[in-house]
Amino acid sequence: MQRQNMIFIFFVAFLLIIFMGYLFVIGEQKDTKTDKKNGITSKVPKEEELGQCNFVKNYTLLLVTESDDEEYVFITLKEYQVDNVATVKVKKDIMPSLKTGNYYRFSFSTKKAIHDDIEEIFESSIIREVEDVKKVVDGENAICATHLLEN
């Protein structure tokens, strides 16, 4: 009888160890993010660890397209001095009078860790201000290092 109890205790302990290992692996997966473009997995800091990040990105407005939703517009942007073009959906009321070919300085705010990608920036950040600029200042296109996920 005692041998059966011992086997039962070892079996339960074994199952608990497997279950705890499974929970540990699942927990680790929630703290990682896989870049869809190149399959690289990186650690994602928790929002409370990051705090607030305010940053500026400069884009050339290439195209404006009306949305079916009257409150929104699709804009196609090219990042300043980078061969990166994307179309994003934004609220009309945050945009000044739009002129294709002009440079615009977008001020963003985020508490999330993000890649330096136009679509991800617009999805994961709040647009604080948009201004039409005549001259782009080099070096102001940086996302806070603590919030930037490596590509």
Side-chain angles (χ1 to χ4, degrees):
M1 186 72 158
Q2 223 176 33
R3 181 174 165 91
Q4 287 178 340
N5 287 343
M6 219 40 158
I7 291 172
F8 179 74
I9 291 172
F10 281 121
F11 180 72
V12 169
F14 178 73
L15 288 177
L16 280 173
I17 290 170
I18 290 175
F19 181 70
M20 296 301 282
Y22 174 76
L23 290 178
F24 178 76
V25 169
I26 294 299
E28 284 293 311
Q29 288 177 349
K30 288 181 182 177
D31 291 342
T32 61
K33 186 172 188 175
T34 302
D35 187 347
K36 295 173 189 169
K37 293 179 185 173
N38 58 22
I40 295 174
T41 301
S42 55
K43 180 97 169 127
V44 179
K46 293 180 173 73
E47 287 184 25
E48 58 271 10
E49 295 172 354
L50 292 173
Q52 189 75 22
C53 171
N54 299 314
F55 61 98
V56 174
K57 297 296 278 182
N58 294 295
Y59 301 106
T60 304
L61 180 64
L62 301 177
L63 181 67
V64 179
T65 308
E66 292 296 321
S67 169
D68 291 338
D69 186 340
E70 292 178 8
E71 294 182 27
Y72 290 88
V73 65
F74 288 100
I75 56 174
T76 302
L77 302 168
K78 181 187 180 301
E79 190 170 351
Y80 178 69
Q81 292 186 331
V82 179
D83 194 21
N84 188 8
V85 176
T87 300
V88 293
K89 186 177 181 179
V90 296
K91 284 195 161 218
K92 282 183 181 179
D93 61 355
I94 62 133
M95 296 297 297
S97 56
L98 300 171
K99 295 181 182 111
T100 56
N102 285 12
Y103 289 108
Y104 289 91
R105 180 178 295 124
F106 286 77
S107 299
F108 295 97
S109 179
T110 189
K111 289 186 176 184
K112 297 179 181 180
I114 56 176
H115 289 97
D116 194 355
D117 174 75
I118 295 173
E119 291 167 333
E120 188 168 346
I121 288 170
F122 277 82
E123 289 171 8
S124 302
S125 305
I126 297 168
I127 301 171
R128 299 170 55 98
E129 182 182 12
V130 180
E131 65 178 299
D132 191 351
V133 293
K134 303 296 180 226
K135 182 180 177 188
V136 177
V137 178
D138 283 336
E140 71 174 2
N141 259 0
I143 297 173
C144 308
T146 54
H147 291 68
L148 185 60
L149 291 174
E150 296 179 17
N151 288 329

